[in-house]
Amino acid sequence: MDKDILRRYLEEVRLLELDLYMLNRTLSVLQSEEKSIPTKRVINPPVRAVVQQPQLADDDNGGKPKGALIGAGVGLFFGPVGLAAGYAAGKIRDNKIKREAQEAQAEYERQVREAERKYADDLAQYEKALRLEDMRVARESEEIMRFNSSLRYQMSSVNAIISQTRAALDNLYAVNIIYIKYRSLIPISRFCEYLDSGRRTELEGTNGMYDLYEAELMGNQIVGGLHIVNENLDKMNLQIGALSNQLAYHLSSIQQNQVLLYEEVAKSNSVARDIASELKTMAGQQDRYMSSIQESAKLTAANAAITARANQSMANWAEYDRARRDNMPTA
């Protein structure tokens, strides 16, 4: 196949693969922003205080003090005077016991009243807290459901563009220039690097791009999964604005083999975060202030660029198909 046509074809496929990756990344970020319906906090009910009833002296015999009788009985051994004295002393003790018992009972009743008053106050506060918690959950649930609904609308817009991009990409792949095993971002990006560096000019054959890609993959000279690329980028933790100057410096010798891929994925991640952030903000605004759905400027711009690329690929489809058929071996 003509080298220039192959380069143009691979570049169109690579850009649409990057678009698709960026859109899926945007969708993933938005999905992580969906909020959960709040649950009620646990509010423990009040506990009624237990007031211990006082233990009264001489509690047997109905709680009636017997000091006077005991004193009189003891004083009887000393005659009439002893009897009178013993009775008087016992009476004084009985009166003291009665007074202390009355005071203890009064204190007990006071504590019971205080405990009941406090329990009633605590119960009222508890019931108020339950009502406020019910109101909070209802209010936040309504806000969250509105936000999630608006966010899902924004995600549906992204999904629509994903479907259009996937269709355009499938249409390019349908030319059957690329073997099905290599129809993804990582190998396509690597093939572009082979062409740009002059290392390979053909896809197939002993000295073709497929063989070289497989050899690099088997030799651990490159990575074959986007999740590994993203893990490596996360470890670098670079500021997005410094990517163009710092990324190549931070790549390991193995990662240097795919510098184009790392640069493009890092940029796509940045664009995805920007679009997702704008869509999330719009979802919050529509939740609170707007009755109509507004379009995201960043997503609209991305969609326009993707649509232009898709249209261009459609316009070039016949040329690519003709080039493929011209490159087929004749019988």
Side-chain angles (χ1 to χ4, degrees):
M1 180 179 289
D2 180 81
K3 179 181 176 181
D4 291 334
I5 294 178
L6 180 59
R7 175 183 281 111
R8 185 147 42 88
Y9 173 80
L10 288 174
E11 183 64 10
E12 286 186 9
V13 172
R14 185 182 72 85
L15 290 175
L16 283 173
E17 282 283 7
L18 277 170
D19 290 334
L20 191 62
Y21 167 78
M22 181 274 293
L23 290 167
N24 280 313
R25 185 83 172 184
T26 302
L27 191 63
S28 177
V29 174
L30 289 174
Q31 287 170 341
S32 70
E33 294 293 343
E34 281 200 76
K35 300 178 181 179
S36 300
I37 299 299
T39 56
K40 292 182 181 181
R41 291 189 292 262
V42 176
I43 302 175
N44 294 321
V47 178
R48 180 185 273 106
V50 177
V51 180
Q52 294 295 328
Q53 193 162 4
Q55 294 296 319
L56 304 179
D58 296 321
D59 199 35
D60 54 329
N61 194 27
K64 296 179 181 179
K66 303 180 290 293
L69 294 176
I70 294 172
V74 173
L76 184 63
F77 290 100
F78 299 96
V81 175
L83 175 63
Y87 178 82
K91 191 66 175 177
I92 293 173
R93 179 180 177 276
D94 288 347
N95 290 338
K96 180 175 180 297
I97 290 174
K98 286 182 179 180
R99 184 173 65 253
E100 290 175 351
Q102 290 169 351
E103 291 173 354
Q105 182 65 23
E107 177 61 20
Y108 165 73
E109 293 173 356
R110 185 194 67 77
Q111 291 181 15
V112 168
R113 289 193 300 272
E114 177 63 22
E116 288 300 313
R117 184 197 62 77
K118 186 177 184 305
Y119 176 74
D121 291 344
D122 291 346
L123 187 60
Q125 290 297 318
Y126 168 71
E127 292 171 347
K128 179 180 178 181
L130 288 179
R131 291 193 299 272
L132 291 174
E133 183 64 8
D134 287 342
M135 293 169 59
R136 179 193 70 82
V137 170
R139 181 182 66 253
E140 292 183 8
S141 296
E142 184 178 356
E143 292 173 357
I144 287 172
M145 285 189 290
R146 286 201 305 266
F147 173 82
N148 285 347
S149 176
S150 180
L151 193 66
R152 290 188 191 113
Y153 175 86
Q154 304 292 1
M155 285 191 281
S156 70
S157 299
V158 177
N159 267 317
I161 304 174
I162 287 175
S163 297
Q164 295 168 10
T165 307
R166 180 78 260 176
L169 191 56
D170 288 343
N171 187 64
L172 268 181
Y173 281 135
V175 182
N176 280 327
I177 292 176
I178 302 293
Y179 183 60
I180 191 169
K181 179 180 179 180
Y182 304 103
R183 295 177 185 179
S184 58
L185 177 58
I186 290 182
I188 294 296
S189 295
R190 195 64 181 143
F191 297 163
C192 288
E193 289 179 305
Y194 294 157
L195 270 175
D196 291 341
S197 65
R199 295 177 67 188
R200 296 290 187 275
T201 58
E202 295 291 337
L203 290 168
E204 300 171 340
T206 305
N207 294 318
M209 298 181 195
Y210 296 155
D211 275 5
L212 179 55
Y213 178 79
E214 291 291 350
E216 289 183 332
L217 201 60
M218 292 295 292
N220 292 322
Q221 294 175 283
I222 59 175
V223 297
L226 279 172
H227 67 286
I228 300 175
V229 174
N230 276 308
E231 286 173 4
N232 291 333
L233 287 171
D234 290 340
K235 290 174 184 176
M236 295 175 203
N237 195 28
L238 295 178
Q239 295 296 320
I240 296 301
L243 276 171
S244 58
N245 297 325
Q246 295 186 28
L247 182 57
Y249 174 79
H250 284 270
L251 294 176
S252 68
S253 58
I254 294 177
Q255 294 160 4
Q256 288 280 359
N257 293 331
Q258 294 172 289
V259 64
L260 174 63
L261 175 68
Y262 275 88
E263 287 176 350
E264 294 292 355
V265 169
K267 290 175 183 176
S268 295
N269 289 345
S270 176
V271 172
R273 283 192 294 269
D274 287 346
I275 293 176
S277 177
E278 183 176 69
L279 292 175
K280 177 187 174 184
T281 299
M282 292 173 60
Q285 290 173 341
Q286 288 155 5
D287 169 35
R288 292 172 175 79
Y289 311 118
M290 302 178 186
S291 57
S292 60
I293 299 294
Q294 292 187 342
E295 297 297 329
S296 160
K298 293 182 185 295
L299 184 60
T300 300
N303 187 30
I306 293 169
T307 301
R309 281 192 281 275
N311 290 338
Q312 185 62 47
S313 70
M314 286 290 293
N316 295 336
W317 194 93
E319 180 184 7
Y320 296 144
D321 184 55
R322 183 168 56 253
R324 179 191 62 81
R325 285 186 281 106
D326 291 344
N327 194 55
M328 292 176 63
T330 57

